[in-house]
Amino acid sequence: MRFLLLFPGLWLWTNSLQAQGSTDSCRCTQVFNQVHQKAAANYAGWADKVNVNTRPAFTRLVDSLQILARVTTSDTGCMTLLKRYKAFFRDGHFQVSLRASGKGTTSPVRKIPVVEADVRQQLLKRAGHRKPIEGIWETPDHSYTIAVVPDPQRADALVGVVLSATNPAWTPGSVKMELLPGSGNSINTLYRNAAFEVERVQLTQQGNFFDISGYGTWIRTFPETITAAERQAYEQAQSPLEFRQINPGVAYLRVSNFNVPKAEVDSLVKAHQAALARSPLLIIDIRNNFGGSNSSFSALLPLMNTNNFQDTHSYMRTSPDNIAAEEAMVARARAGKWDVDSVLNAWARDVARAKQHPDQLYRTEGELIRIDSVLPYPARVAVLINDKCYSSAEYFAFYAKQSRKTQLFGQHTGGVMDYGNVRNQTMDCSQFILRLPTTRSGWVDTSPVDNRGFQPDVPISATEPDWVAFVVNYYKQTPTSSTR
């Protein structure tokens, strides 16, 4: 069942509080026990992860966390326990999240007194000595405004201090992020999300805007602000789809996530069909693609095809919860017209067959994706990948490796693909979100991908400033016969 392979746990939960469960159901003991029970009943990787070799250590872990849960009174403290539990499985598709908490945080949020007028004055005074990231920044929706200034407690480090926020829990002076010492435009950062959890993330700056992986983009408003060219680059980056002709012989196509509706990718390919048909080289850029639905990229496969594409077999864990979740997903797909009827009908038939084999790992054979022809152009395809490619983006890389005219360029993928088709689990306490993989890929027994990823055919250094130019130059110097 290859219909939805959702991206891993960098979910963007809103700041608004959702309806909570009862006080008892939100006690950490109850929450932890329910997560444990749901995982044991529904997680497709359970038998692989909790086995004769690992069970003693796992049992000790569960016993210790249950003891700690009895004395844990805050949501964020409970989340810390759940993260330790989740970490045992080493599976990015095993997702536990916390909505904006109504019960505070176990560790106080650090405070630094700030007055915006004083911050502006100091930024101007330090004009010749500021680090590139310093300044006043805000989110595009104006929900947060922060000042990135030197950390008074740590040499060479910076802090992002809240100046204003629509979330009343984030009062002025609260430290939203700590930027650790380092150089370059990619900065290791300790970031507190809306639920007050501290996460280690990567902050990547491009002039007057920066991106935090999983938490979106911020724009500088003082002392410099975003230029017209930067605004155009920012808006272009926000669009998940892009096509451009780099030169008469090279076409470039970017898909930054596979949550894009299939029809939109189909339309993009169709609109530029003539240009693709006269371009010897096509660069498909899927960097930073967290995944989504495999159906989104079906229009890209004919561009890479040399001898069709073979899926591996898979197993669905046919628990009652998983069957119900899959049936609900099929209904959503039909209502939203996610794909053509023939595909949705095949999906429904697979679920119906799996339902006849309850409470087991039910095997589905891998599909051979047949494509009628091999296109003369593009004659070569380069797929750009990096360690932020997850799930169905990795499945695209799996297909690309089956094409003789396609090569992978860049860095290894994120390694979150062995267990997929992530589905919501109903929690009694709605402050906590649990999502579990319901299927197991056949390659787990022979060539597991989790925590390893797919390796590029042609590595590109992370310090290389322009990966697209690198690929173009590579093919200028590489004869056609050297491609796979």
Side-chain angles (χ1 to χ4, degrees), residues 96-123:
V96 185
S97 303
L98 174 65
R99 302 182 196 272
S101 174
K103 291 162 59 177
T105 174
T106 51
S107 57
V109 177
R110 185 176 160 201
K111 296 278 190 174
I112 298 176
V114 290
V115 177
E116 184 168 346
D118 294 342
V119 170
R120 289 173 175 265
Q121 188 177 31
Q122 288 301 314
L123 287 168

Side-chain angles (χ1 to χ4, degrees), residues 2-231:
R2 298 292 173 196
F3 297 97
L4 274 180
L5 290 162
L6 298 181
F7 54 83
L10 296 176
W11 288 84
L12 307 182
W13 300 106
T14 61
N15 295 333
S16 60
L17 292 177
Q18 306 290 321
Q20 297 186 36
S22 70
T23 302
D24 286 342
S25 68
C26 287
R27 293 184 190 279
C28 191
T29 298
Q30 277 74 12
V31 171
F32 177 81
N33 286 339
Q34 189 172 37
V35 167
H36 179 42
Q37 292 161 5
K38 292 277 188 182
N42 301 316
Y43 174 43
W46 182 267
D48 292 330
K49 308 288 185 170
V50 184
N51 54 46
V52 64
N53 295 319
T54 64
R55 189 177 295 279
F58 180 67
T59 300
R60 290 193 297 272
L61 173 67
V62 171
D63 289 346
S64 66
L65 293 178
Q66 286 176 328
I67 292 170
L68 288 173
R70 292 173 199 151
V71 295
T72 299
T73 57
S74 71
D75 288 344
T76 50
C78 196
M79 233 349 262
T80 299
L81 300 186
L82 296 176
K83 283 183 174 180
R84 287 179 60 189
Y85 180 79
K86 162 189 159 59
F88 171 86
F89 298 99
R90 300 187 71 238
D91 182 351
H93 270 157
F94 189 121
Q95 302 168 8
V96 185
S97 303
L98 174 65
R99 302 182 196 272
S101 174
K103 291 162 59 177
T105 174
T106 51
S107 57
V109 177
R110 185 176 160 201
K111 296 278 190 174
I112 298 176
V114 290
V115 177
E116 184 168 346
D118 294 342
V119 170
R120 289 173 175 265
Q121 188 177 31
Q122 288 301 314
L123 287 168
L124 292 174
K125 280 185 178 180
R126 299 182 62 253
H129 306 283
R130 292 194 308 263
K131 292 185 178 179
I133 192 67
E134 289 186 53
I136 295 175
W137 301 78
E138 68 178 15
T139 54
D141 63 357
H142 312 295
S143 58
Y144 286 95
T145 301
I146 63 169
V148 177
V149 293
D151 187 337
Q153 297 179 9
R154 186 170 183 179
D156 296 326
L158 301 170
V159 287
V161 186
V162 172
L163 297 176
S164 65
T166 56
N167 182 345
W170 284 97
T171 56
S174 303
V175 174
K176 183 74 171 167
M177 60 186 80
E178 298 181 26
L179 289 68
L180 305 180
S183 59
N185 66 346
S186 190
I187 305 168
N188 289 320
T189 302
L190 299 178
Y191 181 86
R192 277 193 187 269
N193 63 23
F196 293 97
E197 298 175 87
V198 178
E199 298 192 40
R200 192 180 188 97
V201 298
Q202 204 71 18
L203 182 155
T204 304
Q205 181 186 3
Q206 295 184 16
N208 290 305
F209 63 92
F210 68 73
D211 181 79
I212 296 178
S213 54
Y215 290 99
T217 301
W218 297 65
I219 296 172
R220 179 153 44 196
T221 61
F222 187 88
E224 298 87 22
T225 191
I226 192 166
T227 65
E230 287 174 331
R231 172 74 66 179

Side-chain angles (χ1 to χ4, degrees), residues 32 38 54 111 157 184 218 247 267 285 344 363 383 432 457:
F32 177 81
K38 292 277 188 182
T54 64
K111 296 278 190 174
W218 297 65
N247 62 46
S267 295
D285 189 349
L344 298 179
R363 175 166 171 154
V383 177
F432 292 88
D457 299 306

